[in-house]
Amino acid sequence: ETGVTQTPRHLVMGMTNKKSLKCEQHLGHNAMYWYKQSAKKPLELMFVYSLEERVENNSVPSRFSPECPNSSHLFLHLHTLQPEDSALYLCASSPRAGNAGELFFGEGSRLTVL
Amino acid sequence: EDQVTQSPEALRLQEGESSSLNCSYTVSGLRGLFWYRQDPGKGPEFLFTLYSAGEEKEKERLKATLTKKESFLHITAPKPEDSATYLCAVGRGTGGFKTIFGAGTRLFVKA
């Protein structure tokens, strides 16, 4: 495996379900990110982790709960979501979070909330 | 307020018809301007980083340029495989780390 891998690629869930998105990076990077991408809208930064410590929470509702057990893995736990949360959720990594730079993205998890 | 605006929203070209995509930005403490390519159902793929006005970068049929207020992505003699969404982003150097993305330009190249 190389680069940034996201699973599952597609997820359909009801508003009362609990599910998780998983991201794994094989690049030896120290920073990992969750972004939300909705149709015709700019990517929205959700969370930033640097060396497993959350360094940014961009006013994301508590129904989204991130977890970073180590510098290679990142999870996004989902519960009691709303239909407007349907979107493509992208994980990214970079060598470090201290400055803006090239981001390496996974292929995304397409989430549909019924 | 930090902002990135891309135009046009969509662009349709014939194969071989050169054109440019625009990215205008307002940001405090620019720490780089980035171009990404995104294919349908995929994550964005990094193309270029530009750091200062006057800088240019090239890759195959793509050339990115930067001024103090905007960046252009020039596409010379495009091919159908260049069809994708092109995203522009800027890095902000003040107020903590943040990369601000534009909404993208969808490019369609017809054979």
Side-chain angles (χ1 to χ4, degrees):
Chain A
E1 293 275 10
T2 58
V4 180
T5 305
Q6 290 188 242
T7 56
R9 292 294 312 279
H10 300 273
L11 178 63
V12 179
M13 59 187 289
M15 294 198 297
T16 57
N17 291 159
K18 291 184 180 181
K19 298 285 185 183
S20 296
L21 307 180
K22 179 183 175 181
C23 176
E24 184 175 359
Q25 60 99 357
H26 307 271
L27 300 168
H29 290 167
N30 290 328
M32 297 187 77
Y33 312 78
W34 280 116
Y35 279 88
K36 176 183 179 182
Q37 187 175 36
S38 304
K40 298 188 178 181
K41 288 186 177 180
L43 270 70
E44 299 173 48
L45 178 64
M46 300 176 72
F47 302 104
V48 182
Y49 276 83
S50 176
L51 294 172
E52 303 135 49
E53 179 182 345
R54 191 189 312 178
V55 296
E56 183 151 345
N57 177 347
N58 207 27
S59 302
V60 179
S62 59
R63 57 185 184 269
F64 295 91
S65 175
E67 178 189 1
C68 188
N70 55 62
S71 59
S72 298
H73 294 85
L74 185 65
F75 295 88
L76 188 63
H77 303 299
L78 317 169
H79 63 97
T80 59
L81 295 189
Q82 304 298 312
E84 59 265 29
D85 296 322
S86 299
L88 182 68
Y89 288 86
L90 291 162
C91 175
S93 70
S94 67
R96 59 190 180 100
N99 62 323
E102 177 184 346
L103 295 170
F104 295 79
F105 286 89
E107 296 201 327
S109 293
R110 172 69 63 185
L111 173 66
T112 302
V113 182
L114 302 176
Chain B
E1 181 184 347
D2 298 332
Q3 195 169 352
V4 177
T5 303
Q6 291 189 245
S7 62
E9 184 176 320
L11 181 62
R12 287 174 168 76
L13 300 174
Q14 289 292 128
E15 184 172 4
E17 179 186 1
S18 300
S19 188
S20 296
L21 313 182
N22 177 264
C23 171
S24 61
Y25 63 90
T26 304
V27 66
S28 52
L30 179 70
R31 292 283 297 275
L33 184 138
F34 313 96
W35 283 98
Y36 290 83
R37 169 188 170 132
Q38 186 173 22
D39 292 304
K42 301 285 184 69
E45 177 186 356
F46 171 78
L47 292 173
F48 304 109
T49 303
L50 302 166
Y51 287 107
S52 57
E55 189 174 357
E56 299 181 351
K57 292 277 180 72
E58 287 189 66
K59 181 179 181 180
E60 296 180 358
R61 295 175 292 282
L62 301 177
K63 178 180 178 180
T65 61
L66 180 65
T67 72
K68 288 186 178 179
K69 294 183 179 181
E70 58 191 349
S71 176
F72 292 93
L73 185 65
H74 307 277
I75 303 176
T76 302
K79 298 182 177 181
E81 53 262 41
D82 295 321
S83 298
T85 296
Y86 291 86
L87 303 176
C88 172
V90 295
R92 186 181 71 189
T94 58
F97 168 85
K98 193 165 188 178
T99 301
I100 304 163
F101 281 83
T105 293
R106 288 173 294 148
L107 175 66
F108 304 92
V109 182
K110 187 176 179 181

